[in-house]
Amino acid sequence: MLGSSRLARPKVFPMKQLVLFSGKPEPELPEVDADRAIAAMLAPSVRLGTSTWTFPGWRGIFYPKDIPEREITTHGLRLYARNPLFRTVGIDRSYYAPLRAEELARYRDDLPDGYGCAMKVWSGIVARRDPHTGQRSPWFLDPHAFEERVLAPIVKSFSRNVGVLLLVLSPMRAEERMDAGELAERLDRFFEAAPRSFRYAVELRNPELLSRAYLDVLARHGVTHVLGLWERMPSIGRQLAVPKILTAPLVVCRLSIRPGERYEDRKRICAPFDKIVATDEETRADVVEVAARCAREGRSLMVIVNNKVEGSAPLTVRALARRIVAGR
């Protein structure tokens, strides 16, 4: 059996003092006392975080105001993990190419032992066509390629820092689309063969693939259906209303972009991601409802937030944490 990983209860991890800024100890993170206070009231089973961490626009709101951009690139993950409210983080780079063991070891060395990340699975496994070449992928939902190309480096260098592996199924065009039954069968075969020592979650980008057969397969294998906020998918609230939508003890919400919006438009509007551009009250309320349901049903919750939802992912995370604690 490959590796071992679990979404452990959050705890205080000892961290080494970073020496940045030309040899001077780095200053305290902005708003960290307020974040610590909210974190103390947030249930240990709730983990909030951002979809990645390398944004210079976060200086002054999440990173120290005067930190050089190169320090965010080289030390940002370690700084990120020092904030007690931000209990998880997304690793998106792994979607574009499998990460080598050496790269994963650098991430591991910047994180506390057991700090669980939401790591995307390589596009070769989850996209019917290569996003760069447009060629059909020969490894789509191939468990052997998945184990060899994706899991092997993780097992070597990063298994204790994987909270969940995300299979974000790329949007399928009409000419390549499978029906919901075929997808359910392919996922059934994939998870039957995949090592059970990791947690898995599947995110759909085609709403017509959200079917009872699909949910039944995920539930049978203990795999999470991601409640994903995405331009073509139903809202979080509408997905939550689907019978048996919560398929595993871990519930994952990924807030990427609001329905009807477009990625490049949101990027242009929201950059440099240093403020809330527009509050999404509906999505905030939906996430609070997901948290309440998880509490009632004894499930753990992971929420990953992208800048393009409201303008600044750290500010959205803080707002969600306050509302979850307040219960409204």
Side-chain angles (χ1 to χ4, degrees), residues 82-157:
R82 291 182 62 211
N83 188 307
L85 181 59
F86 291 72
R87 298 170 175 173
T88 187
V89 69
I91 297 179
D92 282 356
R93 283 186 59 225
S94 49
Y95 176 82
Y96 300 100
L99 297 184
R100 294 177 289 106
E102 295 79 9
E103 296 174 284
L104 291 169
R106 287 196 292 271
Y107 288 162
R108 178 200 63 209
D109 292 344
D110 277 343
L111 292 170
D113 186 39
Y115 185 100
C117 303
M119 185 174 178
K120 281 187 177 182
V121 169
W122 172 48
S123 63
I125 305 298
V126 297
R128 301 208 77 177
R129 293 187 180 275
D130 185 292
H132 302 294
T133 67
Q135 298 298 310
R136 200 175 185 91
S137 171
W139 305 292
F140 179 67
L141 293 180
D142 181 336
H144 303 294
F146 170 68
E147 189 165 347
E148 178 181 327
R149 293 169 175 259
V150 175
L151 285 189
I154 291 173
V155 169
K156 183 176 181 179
S157 302

Side-chain angles (χ1 to χ4, degrees), residues 196-263:
R196 298 180 181 273
S197 48
F198 291 94
R199 289 190 174 187
Y200 303 103
V202 178
E203 180 173 344
L204 300 177
R205 295 290 174 84
N206 290 86
E208 66 276 9
L209 296 177
L210 179 55
S211 68
R212 175 59 64 84
Y214 158 81
L215 293 174
D216 286 347
V217 164
L218 297 194
R220 183 160 58 250
H221 293 286
V223 173
T224 299
H225 164 71
V226 175
L227 300 171
L229 190 74
W230 177 250
E231 58 186 54
R232 294 174 55 192
M233 290 297 293
S235 68
I236 301 294
R238 288 176 60 196
Q239 289 185 56
L240 190 62
V242 173
K244 299 185 178 181
I245 195 73
L246 303 186
T247 55
L250 169 65
V251 176
V252 178
C253 285
R254 281 202 350 116
L255 313 182
S256 300
I257 189 169
R258 292 179 292 188
E261 302 281 1
R262 294 293 179 265
Y263 179 90

